[in-house]
Amino acid sequence: MEAFSGARRVMLLGNPGTKRTVYFMQAAKEVGLPVCFAAWNEFGQWKRRMSTDTGWVVKIDPPLWESCRLDELGALADGYQKQLAELSGIAQGGRIGFLNQPAAIAKLLDKYVCKEELLKAGLPVTEPLYLLEGGRQACNADVLFEWMRQRRVFQIFLKPVYGSGAAGVSAFRWQPLSGRMVLYTCAVEHPHSGLVNTKRLRRFAEPKTVARMLDRILGLGCILERWHAKAEYQGMPYDLRAVVQDGYVDFMLARLSKGPITNLHLNNHPLDIKELNLPADVLENITNICIKAAGCFSGLQSVGIDLLLEKGSQKPLVVEMNAQGDLIYQDIFQENRIYRHQAAMMKSCVGQV
């Protein structure tokens, strides 16, 4: 991380009492870095302070969204994008620096933009599918079924353009000849709140229910991807989460699942990457892809990258990226390596404090 001219103090913009805050503060203390905490619910106050008081270097953690309604994802993301734009405006005046630039965080919030940047760079990614021009699919189930029938693509993933934590992410498999279909998703219809996100993977197989759910999910504005078969460990498919910081892979973890969605908060199983016994050339390929992917976005010193290895070939494919994907329980409860490295980078940025 390059030194920021005039930097004197470090600020964490986040949420009080969360694991992100507690363990970053712990890491900062270990490296001898004083940190000023700024809460998102007092954003206006802290924004004014940053606008008038020079010398801050800031780490931005994501705000907490209390709503579980998926139809509010877009509005929540828009609000966050505006806050990030305001922070970018302050930074342009040369008053503050960032661990991750607000504009870079905003860019990665949009899954479509992120995937397009990776494709332009020639990196291997899970294959995007385009029902409509522009890639942002706001259509309905009938349009989807016809597109799948014409192109003979019968297994897909649907992901809202904005959102994290598997919010609205769905895996759909269809057999047109028999009419059988199955939809895996954490979304469920609530009689008063509409489509809501849960922390439980659900399976829907009744065609009318599946079509209705697809209508609702597609209406959110989604990107679509081919459902790639994943490599397996002891009969369980898995993918990988890597954290790249300052141009290096700081941490890598496998996520095993009995279902198609691997997020660990869905009671899936973390596994030390060493347990996979991957060949050296595969590990080297994964590392190189992660570093190149991180390099596609200027202004990022820390980024979480999700990859899968194709079943059989073990070819790595980037699934998605998260500019705030640094909270890994298997790290904070052991070495706390990720946050300690961030604190050390920020300390070097501000100089001796």
Side-chain angles (χ1 to χ4, degrees), residues 149-191:
R149 183 184 291 110
Q150 289 182 1
R151 288 159 182 79
R152 302 188 61 78
V153 175
F154 303 124
Q155 297 187 127
I156 64 169
F157 267 81
L158 305 89
K159 302 177 182 180
V161 172
Y162 298 106
S164 60
V169 174
S170 306
F172 176 55
R173 181 181 289 128
W174 179 38
Q175 296 176 352
L177 293 180
S178 67
R180 293 178 181 175
M181 57 181 66
V182 62
L183 178 71
Y184 299 92
T185 181
C186 295
V188 66
E189 291 181 295
H190 188 276

Side-chain angles (χ1 to χ4, degrees), residues 297-317:
F297 302 90
S298 61
L300 287 181
Q301 295 296 327
S302 175
V303 61
I305 302 176
D306 294 339
L307 309 96
L308 64 80
L309 301 181
E310 284 193 317
K311 188 174 183 179
S313 70
Q314 293 189 315
K315 177 184 177 181
L317 301 175

